[in-house]
Amino acid sequence: MNKDQGAFPSGPPSEKLVDFQAVRGLSPFPVALDCRYYIGDRPCRFQRDCPGCPHYSPQGTRILILKTGALGDVLRTTILLGGIKRQFPESHITWITATSAMPLVPRSLVDRVWPVSPETLGRLHVESFDLVLSLDKEPEVAALAMLAKAPEKRGMGVNDRGAVYPLNPEMAYYFRLGLDNHLKFHVNRRTYPDLLAEAVRIPYDPARDDYHLDIAEKDREEARRIFLAQGLEPGQPVVGINSGAGGVFVNKDWTFFGYLDLIRELDREKIPVVLLGGDRESQRVSELHRRLKSPYVKDVGTQHSLGLFSALAENCRVIVTGDTLGMHVGLAVRSRVIAIFGSTQPHEIEMFDRGEKVVTPIECAPCYRRSCDIHPSCMELIRHETVMDAVRRQLALSHSSRT
Ligand code: SF4
Ligand code: SF4
């Protein structure tokens, strides 16, 4: 985003300049307190005086977004940013999120990213906003929306008895989806971005709105270095296998042996495979690597930052994943994604024509259960041959989209 609006090429209008020096009889030093780049305790990034500054960019509509988790949900919520900028072309966005999710909020579109912290609470007591978009259903986060000073609030609120409720009429359907399993599991066919955008009255168009994820150049360079060290050339058709899927819901991740058989098949066809994952998957990744012992199967490590994980994913033509953060990252970095669904709802995921869903045929899905003793389970019923066919299709499509 070019935040310089260009409407003030000769600098801030005089009524926007405040001179704190004048009262002490010091030489004039006017500052533009409403400029988005103003910091106050040090010079702004342009290292110059405010009068006549061509970079002056008034904050305009001050918007506060509250979305703290889970990581994948934070990333997919970035889909709203394009619509927010269309609705409020001159706006200043502050996003409060969990500390762990901060790297997923794009600084190119969001002016300030604040963690949930006592310092943030202090600032909420002082600052005011024009609009609050409260996108978490947890009472702790909805309470922040109630504390924030703003004439308009959309999304989720919480009352004085601690009960969460929709703040605006458009939120009603999205709110009900959280309470009505029949509606969520068997009736609703709309995607999360579509539902959320409607709920907070932000325009959404799947043909133009997409994920926004900033990847630092240093992470891109490190990912390239890791790939080259593994003998992988940039642009080579590599398949990323993201075998974990968080620890909350049972059967969100495909089976170990499903992945093992799929990778054996890829290995037979000499298709390079990169094993992706985070801390939680380190054992699974090492075990897959140990059992396969193939020059085509690469363990690139699991102790990476979110930025480096995203840069590694960006180097994969196709990513096979469960319904988890890796799926959202894969879509955000514009890789082709094969998303495998067991106990969770596939219809809410917008794939943006960059992949396909492999969905369990079992009748009890989706269920969002935390434990299950059904065998064969929803995930055990997904055959590796089915996923392999999807990989072949997506590799072919990735090839044609790059030539
Ligand atoms: S960008 Fe220009 S107007 Fe804004 S704070 Fe910096 S010097 Fe002042
Ligand atoms: S109840 Fe059915 S869908 Fe849910 S986890 Fe068990 S097998 Fe999977």
Side-chain angles (χ1 to χ4, degrees):
M1 179 189 57
N2 180 9
K3 288 173 178 168
D4 295 343
Q5 308 292 326
F8 300 92
S10 54
S14 56
E15 69 272 16
K16 296 292 183 187
L17 291 166
V18 184
D19 190 353
F20 295 98
Q21 312 304 303
V23 288
R24 299 295 311 272
L26 301 170
S27 58
F29 193 78
V31 289
L33 294 182
D34 71 326
C35 176
R36 76 177 65 248
Y37 301 117
Y38 178 79
I39 303 171
D41 65 344
R42 57 194 181 279
C44 79
R45 67 171 74 167
F46 299 105
Q47 305 264 337
R48 55 155 295 152
D49 295 347
C50 293
C53 171
H55 308 291
Y56 170 67
S57 174
Q59 293 185 359
T61 307
R62 283 169 54 84
I63 298 171
L64 173 66
I65 298 175
L66 292 157
K67 181 68 192 171
T68 65
L71 295 178
D73 281 347
V74 171
L75 182 51
R76 69 175 166 172
T77 300
T78 63
I79 292 168
L80 293 184
L81 290 169
I84 291 174
K85 283 295 174 187
R86 286 199 298 283
Q87 193 170 64
F88 305 100
E90 191 177 284
S91 53
H92 178 273
I93 302 177
T94 302
W95 187 320
I96 296 178
T97 193
T99 306
S100 56
M102 288 174 75
L104 297 171
V105 180
R107 310 290 169 128
S108 54
L109 289 169
V110 176
D111 296 274
R112 302 184 299 186
V113 185
W114 289 350
V116 179
S117 69
E119 291 79 7
T120 291
L121 206 54
R123 295 186 81 162
L124 278 187
H125 278 290
V126 175
E127 295 198 20
S128 33
F129 299 88
D130 297 299
L131 173 65
V132 173
L133 302 178
S134 170
L135 308 175
D136 272 337
K137 290 177 180 169
E138 286 69 26
E140 305 79 12
V141 188
L144 296 178
M146 306 313 278
L147 282 179
K149 290 187 278 186
E152 186 172 2
K153 299 178 184 180
R154 304 176 194 165
M156 297 302 301
V158 61
N159 70 11
D160 56 3
R161 291 175 171 265
V164 290
Y165 68 96
L167 290 167
N168 53 305
E170 298 84 355
M171 190 70 184
Y173 183 72
Y174 181 84
F175 177 68
R176 182 171 164 191
L177 278 175
L179 299 175
D180 183 340
N181 282 351
H182 177 69
L183 182 67
K184 181 177 173 71
F185 296 172
H186 306 297
V187 179
N188 177 58
R189 290 296 177 263
R190 293 173 61 193
T191 64
Y192 173 87
D194 179 31
L195 291 163
L196 193 63
E198 175 189 79
V200 291
R201 275 201 339 265
I202 295 295
Y204 168 67
D205 173 1
R208 37 195 317 210
D209 292 314
D210 212 317
Y211 288 80
H212 295 278
L213 175 63
D214 292 347
I215 301 180
E217 205 39 51
K218 72 169 176 40
D219 288 325
R220 287 209 162 103
E221 275 166 26
E222 180 61 7
R224 272 195 290 272
R225 191 195 63 72
I226 291 173
F227 266 56
L228 286 171
Q230 293 282 354
L232 299 168
E233 294 295 330
Q236 205 177 337
V238 171
V239 174
I241 299 286
N242 183 58
S243 60
V248 179
F249 301 113
V250 69
N251 287 329
K252 224 181 155 199
D253 47 348
W254 195 27
T255 63
F256 176 85
F257 291 104
Y259 279 114
L260 190 66
D261 290 341
L262 171 70
I263 300 169
R264 283 201 172 115
E265 195 84 14
L266 290 162
D267 186 47
R268 267 194 285 280
E269 298 192 15
K270 297 187 170 37
I271 297 170
V273 167
V274 164
L275 301 174
L276 299 168
D279 240 356
R280 195 195 298 269
E281 288 80 45
S282 57
Q283 232 180 329
R284 190 178 244 217
V285 163
S286 317
E287 187 58 16
L288 285 170
H289 191 244
R290 190 188 66 76
R291 289 200 185 206
L292 288 154
K293 286 196 187 71
S294 158
Y296 291 101
V297 181
K298 317 286 187 180
D299 179 357
V300 293
T302 51
Q303 310 291 317
H304 303 308
S305 65
L306 278 177
L308 181 51
F309 175 83
S310 305
L312 289 165
E314 196 178 36
N315 281 293
C316 298
R317 286 268 190 103
V318 172
I319 294 175
V320 183
T321 176
D323 174 9
T324 189
L325 174 65
M327 173 183 73
H328 296 293
V329 169
L331 290 166
V333 298
R334 312 308 194 249
S335 296
R336 300 203 74 84
V337 172
I338 294 159
I340 304 174
F341 291 87
S343 62
T344 58
Q345 171 60 277
H347 300 293
E348 287 182 9
I349 304 301
E350 175 60 74
M351 300 292 282
F352 296 100
D353 291 328
R354 294 197 293 273
E356 58 188 283
K357 301 170 187 174
V358 177
V359 181
T360 180
I362 208 166
E363 284 197 355
C364 48
C367 71
Y368 288 88
R369 283 168 58 164
R370 287 166 194 250
S371 66
C372 169
D373 53 13
I374 294 174
H375 288 291
S377 71
C378 46
M379 280 303 195
E380 287 165 342
L381 286 176
I382 294 179
R383 297 164 59 236
H384 75 272
E385 294 91 339
T386 308
V387 182
M388 185 65 203
D389 287 345
V391 172
R392 287 196 191 96
R393 279 191 295 275
Q394 294 304 319
L395 272 176
L397 284 167
S398 80
H399 183 70
S400 57
S401 65
R402 286 179 190 223
T403 50

